[in-house]
Amino acid sequence: MHLPDLRAFLSELSENNQRAWMAMNKPRYDILRKEFLELTSALIDWLKHIDPAIANTNPAKAIFRINRDIRFSHDKSPYKTTFSASVVPDGRKKPSEGGGPAYYFQFNAQGILLFAVGEYMPPTHRLKQIRDQLISDGDGFLMAINKAEFRSHFPEMLSEGQLVKVPRTYPADHSMGEWLKYKNFIAVNEIQYVGMTAPEVVDRLLTAFRCAQPLIQWLRSSHQRTCKFT
């Protein structure tokens, strides 16, 4: 993938986020999208050796559409200014539907590659499963996220939307109380992709995603293990 061309396209799109501009630049977009699909395919081909669960993921279904859903938004800009993908076992593009942890990455117009692993804003039933797992196997979660290698690639867990208090269905004084307040269970990082080649990007993502396997597996195990506190 020609990353300088991608950044130039996204930068121009940011300044000209209109359907007329996109129509004139559709050939550029088509080439870049094809290249992004090839990069995503290459990533999945390597990643499936680390995580066989995603072996049958369709790369085309992993890629997000560039069109924005503006029906309920004050911002009527028709296009996203990122190229992004979410790799999950069943190929769904929205891990928020409760399908379990995802491998996510996106390129933006500022030359930033954001990559993440975990679950972003899981629905209520899924969030309960994760919180129950924190009660029954909090040590496993802490071991997964506190390893030095993991932290070197994912320095923070996203705390967006964190609750002020422990949910009332769980012991307020539990040792995992701070984590029970979380509404996201996703680790994130950002790096500059300026100057990188597509193979270097794939290698960087694979290295990071390999280190995140303990967290991925811990989150998947929470599908099976639940407990109830009243």
Side-chain angles (χ1 to χ4, degrees), residues 166-171 229-230:
V166 174
R168 61 182 180 82
T169 52
Y170 299 94
F229 293 86
T230 57

Side-chain angles (χ1 to χ4, degrees), residues 64 86 88 93-104 106 114 116-124 126-127 130 157-162 182-188 215-216 219:
F64 285 93
S86 179
V88 291
K93 293 176 287 187
K94 295 181 179 179
S96 61
E97 293 175 354
Y103 304 95
Y104 177 84
Q106 74 170 34
L114 180 149
V117 289
E119 300 187 44
Y120 177 73
M121 296 298 289
T124 302
R126 178 68 187 126
L127 185 55
I130 297 172
M157 296 289 290
L158 188 65
S159 60
E160 178 183 336
Q162 184 177 353
Y182 272 58
K183 298 178 74 174
N184 296 287
F185 288 87
I186 188 164
V188 297
L215 176 61
I216 292 287
L219 286 167

Side-chain angles (χ1 to χ4, degrees), residues 127-190:
L127 185 55
K128 182 183 184 304
Q129 289 179 328
I130 297 172
R131 285 172 172 164
D132 286 352
Q133 181 80 338
L134 286 171
I135 296 291
S136 58
D137 185 27
D139 288 344
F141 174 75
L142 294 176
M143 286 179 61
I145 67 168
N146 286 331
K147 289 184 177 179
E149 190 176 32
F150 176 84
R151 285 291 188 181
S152 70
H153 293 285
F154 297 100
E156 64 174 317
M157 296 289 290
L158 188 65
S159 60
E160 178 183 336
Q162 184 177 353
L163 300 176
V164 176
K165 297 181 179 180
V166 174
R168 61 182 180 82
T169 52
Y170 299 94
D173 59 350
H174 196 276
S175 61
M176 297 299 292
E178 287 304 309
W179 288 106
L180 290 168
K181 299 176 186 177
Y182 272 58
K183 298 178 74 174
N184 296 287
F185 288 87
I186 188 164
V188 297
N189 197 3
E190 294 181 341

